[in-house]
Amino acid sequence: MTYQELFQQISTKKSYLCVGLDTDIQKIPAHLLKTDDPIFEFNKQIIDATADYCVSYKPNIAFYEALGPKGWESLQKTVEYIPESHFTIADAKRGDIGNTSGLYARAFFDKSSSGMDFNSITVAPYMGSDSVTPFLAFEGKWVILLALTSNPGSADFQRLDAEGSALFETVLRTSQTWAGAERMMYVVGATHPADFEKIRAIVPDHFLLVPGVGAQGGNLEEVSKYGMNKSCGLLVNASRSIIYAGNSTDFAEKAKQEARALQQEMAVYLDKYCN
């Protein structure tokens, strides 16, 4: 999916919502445990309920890896089920020496190799350019680089002084020499609203993947006001607040209501701040 195609989806749906499929076998409704593939059945119903209100889905790979081969099968079936109109993110946070990163890229981008064909993957930048560029070797695929994450521990390293600026700012500046806004996004947590203006001054055109709205308490209007650009430039992720909005047989309907409420709020901010 290209930059323009993603913006077109956002404009058409009046939504920049990404639904995080952080599907925990210990949290899904009990009645699903009787099905052949409880994880996939849960995801399938969530996707059916929310597809009209979001533009992206983001499975967190750890929730599937933890289940071994069955988890990978559920993940593959989930990715295949997501409509092609939706931007898919493998939230894997990979990054290693070049040949290893190349294999990680094959795992998530090369359907003939692994069976999976995500549009993008989250990547940790700590090991530098040669750990990131192998992902960019796959034409049309996106890298979403961790910049300023939403967790409290992000301050341990990401805000350290690096020759006069915070380390996350150095990541933003340096990584722009590896790929432009058509191939690279950045993770910026909604729990850091005061930093969005500074970040936009460094990366004015890039998309930002923004976790932390919902269960983590990030403010959607602040993120939208200070983080949006003329192409929207935001994918705001909500996971637990949507997929676990209900825990009974009506869980999908509850998820739908939560996703619709976020989409309706986003429509207001698109009109107000996307210019």
Side-chain angles (χ1 to χ4, degrees):
M1 184 177 292
T2 68
Y3 188 105
Q4 188 57 39
E5 287 169 343
L6 180 55
F7 179 47
Q8 184 59 52
Q9 286 292 320
I10 291 169
S11 301
T12 299
K13 289 188 170 181
K14 295 290 184 182
S15 172
Y16 41 103
L17 175 62
C18 172
V19 174
L21 297 173
D22 299 3
T23 307
D24 188 340
I25 191 71
Q26 298 179 353
K27 292 183 179 180
I28 65 176
H31 70 279
L32 295 178
L33 300 178
K34 301 174 184 177
T35 64
D36 291 338
D37 189 340
I39 295 292
F40 174 64
E41 184 58 35
F42 178 85
N43 287 349
K44 178 178 178 293
Q45 293 193 43
I46 291 290
I47 292 165
D48 288 343
T50 61
D52 289 344
Y53 306 105
C54 70
V55 296
S56 178
Y57 288 101
K58 182 178 71 65
N60 186 318
I61 305 305
F63 289 86
Y64 304 88
E65 287 179 322
L67 300 176
K70 288 189 67 175
W72 279 100
E73 182 179 343
S74 300
L75 176 62
Q76 182 177 342
K77 288 159 66 176
T78 296
V79 176
E80 291 174 350
Y81 191 76
I82 294 171
E84 289 187 5
S85 56
H86 288 63
F87 188 78
T88 54
I89 301 168
D91 191 4
K93 300 179 179 71
R94 298 298 198 256
D96 207 328
I97 60 173
N99 62 335
T100 308
S101 279
L103 291 170
Y104 281 141
R106 279 172 54 189
F108 295 102
F109 290 161
D110 186 350
K111 191 170 185 178
S112 66
S113 176
S114 66
M116 286 186 286
D117 187 21
F118 281 90
N119 295 122
S120 65
I121 185 171
T122 56
V123 175
Y126 188 73
M127 291 181 67
S129 61
D130 58 338
S131 69
V132 176
T133 51
F135 296 96
L136 295 165
F138 285 77
E139 187 175 351
K141 302 298 186 180
W142 293 71
V143 165
I144 306 179
L145 214 60
L146 304 182
L148 184 59
T149 54
S150 58
N151 59 304
S154 63
D156 291 347
F157 299 117
Q158 294 166 21
R159 292 190 182 278
L160 289 179
D161 182 83
E163 298 182 350
S165 61
L167 181 58
F168 79 86
E169 296 175 66
T170 300
V171 168
L172 293 171
R173 291 190 179 96
T174 302
S175 62
Q176 290 183 72
T177 66
W178 308 339
E182 295 282 347
R183 298 288 307 281
M184 189 171 286
M185 303 186 187
Y186 297 99
V187 176
V188 179
T191 50
H192 307 289
D195 292 292
F196 273 84
E197 280 189 289
K198 181 189 297 184
I199 289 166
R200 272 299 177 215
I202 301 170
V203 286
D205 300 322
H206 291 69
F207 267 89
L208 307 178
L209 173 63
V210 184
V213 168
Q216 295 184 60
N219 184 287
L220 179 58
E221 182 166 17
E222 284 190 322
V223 167
S224 303
K225 180 178 181 179
Y226 298 112
M228 204 173 277
N229 62 23
K230 62 184 178 182
S231 300
C232 178
L234 297 174
L235 289 176
V236 173
N237 181 78
S239 302
R240 287 170 286 172
S241 62
I242 291 178
I243 67 174
Y244 300 132
N247 60 3
S248 189
T249 54
D250 65 346
F251 76 94
E253 180 59 31
K254 295 290 187 182
K256 179 178 182 177
Q257 293 171 9
E258 188 69 24
R260 181 169 56 209
L262 278 170
Q263 180 273 319
Q264 290 173 347
E265 187 177 356
M266 288 176 173
V268 173
Y269 301 147
L270 277 167
D271 288 340
K272 190 172 183 181
Y273 300 121
C274 185
N275 50 56

